Amino acid sequence: MPPATEELIALTQAQLGEINEALDSGTFQQVRRLLNGLQPVEIAHLLESSPPPSRRILWTLIDPELEGEVLQELSEDVQLQFLRGMNTEKVVEITEGMDTDDLADVLQRLPDAVIQEVLAAMDAQDRQRVEQVLSYDEDTAGGLMDTDTITVRPRVTLDVVFRYLRRHDELPGSTDSLIVVSGKGEYVGLLPLSKLLTSSPNSTVREVMSTGLEAIPATMRDTEVASLFERHDWISAPVVDDDGIVVGRITIDDVVDVIREDADHSLMSMAGLDEEEDTFAPIHRTAPRRAIWLGINLLTAILASSVINIFQGTIDKVVALAVLMPIVASMGGVAGSQTLTVVIRGMALGQIGRSNINWLVSREFFVGLINGMLWALTMALVAGWWFEDPIISFIIAAAMVINLLTASVAGALLPITLRSIKIDPALAGSVALTTITDVVGFFAFLGLATYFYA
Amino acid sequence: MPPATEELIALTQAQLGEINEALDSGTFQQVRRLLNGLQPVEIAHLLESSPPPSRRILWTLIDPELEGEVLQELSEDVQLQFLRGMNTEKVVEITEGMDTDDLADVLQRLPDAVIQEVLAAMDAQDRQRVEQVLSYDEDTAGGLMDTDTITVRPRVTLDVVFRYLRRHDELPGSTDSLIVVSGKGEYVGLLPLSKLLTSSPNSTVREVMSTGLEAIPATMRDTEVASLFERHDWISAPVVDDDGIVVGRITIDDVVDVIREDADHSLMSMAGLDEEEDTFAPIHRTAPRRAIWLGINLLTAILASSVINIFQGTIDKVVALAVLMPIVASMGGVAGSQTLTVVIRGMALGQIGRSNINWLVSREFFVGLINGMLWALTMALVAGWWFEDPIISFIIAAAMVINLLTASVAGALLPITLRSIKIDPALAGSVALTTITDVVGFFAFLGLATYFYA
């Protein structure tokens, strides 16, 4: 019998359709049955794929026992929407039994008073663990870590380790190694399960443990943690505090979320959006967020227009200039955004720095020059045929070369410059670049025209 | 002693600086020592972060024993650059000892004759494994899988499994479960190492194995595999052929690469770039690739200009129109690209389909309307103050509302429409959208102006 996993994916849209139909016809019992037959992660995906009205109804139909698990699978933005609607007792109830890292994530979005009540409702050991995770910034290794580690001492034999493990009902998720610690709890090494299973039970932990892997400092940025996991194909890694004491471990499933968000960050920021943006956010949340970005762009568009304004007299003389001028600006914008995207991606991958930026800028200069000349020549022929005026052909070609060169070099230098003054290149880069290519494009084209036609 | 992992990341730029200096001063011996003291994945990262001239020199300085490992860590584009420079014997030599999935990846980029020679040089078992991986498309589960699985029978006791594992020197990387198969090799279930370690050695595999996880069909698309891993926090999963026979397993490290590429795809495609693009590709490769995209954009820019051309007479009368018209087009472009980005990301996450697209389009309509009116009013005031002409204020406000509405609805509908006709929305979406917002923007603004000033 062929396996059925492939259906899992296609299911979502079909399920959504079915659930929406059932919702419309008011047969909530049926929806409840459909919904609670799914895994929490699938319910979370369904909620994220639903517009707010169905989302609210769906939430009320989820089995209360599943609510906590569903909540921790939701993206930040959607999670917050549901948390806002809960009173403190509900939050206490729903967060029972969550992993410490997920619980800390949820708590961080709540008011201080609620956090205190949730913590007060926990037993001492769990509270201490959550407080430890909460003491680190959400975007650091400490904020990402789980505190449920299994540690062993270097002196014991593997046989003892086997007996120790059998006393557990199960191991914490994604456990691929046990952490070897000293009597004080300091990190000593790792005992991979695969080593444990392939070595003689009479060996000691010290004899078979791996010491090559350094522990991750709790204060390391989560994107750096992700990059280490990616480069070294880790599944889990120990986290230590400033004194080298093991405080938790990070697992690949949390790192995958960081990688996904990190990769989404460039895409979303370049359109002035947040990477946590809820696809189905309601109008009253979407409109204000986008308005700010549009406002900033209106300012830069007015700036570009004021350049055109300087040359009103010239346009009045040769109206064909008004027809052709958007082409110069547009081509500069496209060329610049290609360079900008390559450089921003390269920076996110940690490939670009002082040692190679000069080479990159000079490559972009020549690529801009070659493509500028190619399409300037093409455009000169088109303009010549269109307006039967060799001067306008020459002017647009020259302006295009100038603008594509500027765009390419600016696209390479802007992200580096912005980063050095602590501004996110993905967010500010595209606005800054469009402003440059519009202003330079209009200035070059209309300036040259004024010189030749005046 | 605080651990040193954080330095690992910062090292790259410092190392690059040091290595470049050493290269410039011609002290290759020093570079060789620096380079070969690193792990293969770090050497690969250094190569990817180097412009072509240093890249070529660095490659020659790598210890021949490390070459294969470094090669399989390189991104597709860079890998190909080095492979092109090798003769068949070198390829045979360098690919010895590679994982089957990595080897298959490398082979797929080579000419058929070379593939045959590499296969001929392998022993029968390895050849059969590689041929199996090669028989699946690179972008499927089969192309992604490793063939080094450890399988056990359901009837045996865990004690037998322990003894069987001890006969191995090590387990294949990222092994978190053994695959339970029938006598015919059919997939039966999984035996997680954590279950193995926490259960009684006298239990049978059948008693403790997990049967909840379905195996992945070898023909499933890699992005769907990634989505399953992401949703279920898997570390490895078995792969089966059409008859349910286990043919390999997929591990999270390969899935992370798919997730990274998948997330990069939207970002890079929206600028007409390939997600595998080498940041330091030489001019003669960069220029032609980008030229095509610029050419397509030139065509659409000319199309937009031909709209302006229709209204030359009106601009000739009121030259202020030429000053303001780029604002209308630009604001439409920005509003549209925000919607487009949200929808393309939502589609990549599998959130958007027929069941919710209507809600999304109507939200975008209202967000476009609200923000259109807000900034249209602002712009009307600015234009009124600038040109002291209430008609021009009204015209630009009306044109902005029309264009922002069109942009928002087009931004939501375009990706769905493109996908339904099998065109990649991330690649074609932004060009198509800009064409629409430019044409509609110019048409609305200049059309209204012609009506009022004629």
Side-chain angles (χ1 to χ4, degrees), chain A residues 363-376:
Chain A
R363 183 198 61 193
E364 289 304 323
F365 178 87
F366 286 110
V367 170
L369 185 67
I370 292 168
N371 283 334
M373 293 201 303
L374 171 68
W375 296 117

Side-chain angles (χ1 to χ4, degrees), chain B residues 267-278:
Chain B
L267 174 72
M268 298 296 273
S269 294
M270 284 180 83
L273 302 161
D274 190 275
E275 69 263 25
E276 289 279 0
E277 180 102 8
D278 170 12

